[in-house]
Amino acid sequence: LAYLPRNARDLIGRLPEFRKMSLKQLAEFSGSWDPLEMALGVAAINAHYNRFDLQGEMGNGAQAFGREAGRVVVVGAFPGLSEMLPNPQVIENDPRPGEYPTIAMDTLLPGCAAAVVASSTLVNRNLPRILRLAQGSRIALVGPVTPLTPRLHAYGVEILGGLVIRDPKGLGEAIRAGALPREFGRFGQYLHLRREDAAPARPCRLNGR
């Protein structure tokens, strides 16, 4: 999976070319400056790491920051946010009332207690900047696009929460039918990996369960 910054029709004509490439060759597109090629590369990386047999803890892991005494900043809202984090400062590209625009990252991220970052920032290349601004804070990278690899812990990410697909055929059909990302979870399972020196996440009630 990967976040697409624009319609995928520009890639459809290149499918015969892509089918001849190995997963490693596809993953190398993650270094491209073309947004769609970049998305294809991230999807290939996730196909390698987020395997159906991956072992991890249930949920996306953001609930670990639910009792932080200091400010918790969320870059990119996600379903269940209000149940996991009581008073987050939410940054969005198109902010609603009570949320902040992306330019607020320069002000809100430095000195925050924790930051929960949408994994779509991998594709739009905002992640390196976010990690610099939030340096020294607890950081979680969450969302279907998150590569579940401990290698990302070395960049300051404490928690990696991503989606492991159990029913790829069903998901493919749903996407072709217009399914939104919040619906992807029924075709797999959200799991998270914590850095070894990180404290375990506290239990969190979601949707009354």
Side-chain angles (χ1 to χ4, degrees):
L1 294 174
Y3 162 77
L4 280 176
R6 64 173 190 259
N7 195 290
R9 60 177 172 268
D10 294 340
L11 291 178
I12 292 175
R14 299 175 62 186
L15 287 178
E17 168 195 349
F18 296 144
R19 289 194 179 104
K20 297 176 183 178
M21 301 175 72
S22 68
L23 194 63
K24 181 179 179 181
Q25 289 173 319
L26 291 171
E28 289 173 353
F29 281 121
S30 63
S32 171
W33 286 102
D34 178 277
L36 287 177
E37 288 186 350
M38 172 73 170
L40 178 62
V42 170
I45 290 171
N46 284 335
H48 174 77
Y49 286 114
N50 297 14
R51 289 175 45 84
F52 68 92
D53 55 356
L54 181 73
Q55 299 297 310
E57 298 180 61
M58 294 285 290
N60 69 10
Q63 66 268 26
F65 299 163
R67 297 188 182 180
E68 279 292 334
R71 291 185 301 108
V72 177
V73 178
V74 175
V75 182
F78 55 89
L81 170 60
S82 59
E83 288 90 354
M84 294 184 190
L85 304 170
N87 296 297
Q89 296 176 314
V90 179
I91 297 173
E92 276 282 2
N93 287 328
D94 185 16
R96 295 175 295 184
E99 298 178 343
Y100 298 85
T102 53
I103 195 172
M105 288 194 299
D106 295 316
T107 301
L108 297 181
L109 286 172
C112 68
V116 180
V117 183
S119 52
S120 57
T121 56
L122 272 169
V123 178
N124 64 28
R125 294 189 180 272
N126 276 328
L127 184 60
R129 176 186 171 207
I130 291 169
L131 294 179
R132 287 193 298 269
L133 289 170
Q135 190 171 8
S137 306
R138 301 180 69 189
I139 299 173
L141 184 66
V142 303
V145 183
T146 304
L148 293 173
T149 166
R151 296 176 65 177
L152 288 174
H153 292 319
Y155 297 92
V157 181
E158 177 184 325
I159 295 173
L160 298 162
L163 182 60
V164 174
I165 299 301
R166 310 292 187 191
D167 180 11
K169 182 178 179 181
L171 176 61
E173 292 173 352
I175 291 174
R176 282 190 288 272
L180 298 174
R182 63 173 175 267
E183 303 173 63
F184 293 176
R186 62 192 173 100
F187 300 100
Q189 190 173 44
Y190 275 95
L191 300 176
H192 65 275
L193 307 179
R194 284 201 310 267
R195 202 172 53 213
E196 290 186 359
D197 62 345
R202 295 182 175 89
C204 178
R205 291 174 62 83
L206 290 178
N207 301 323
R209 291 177 289 182

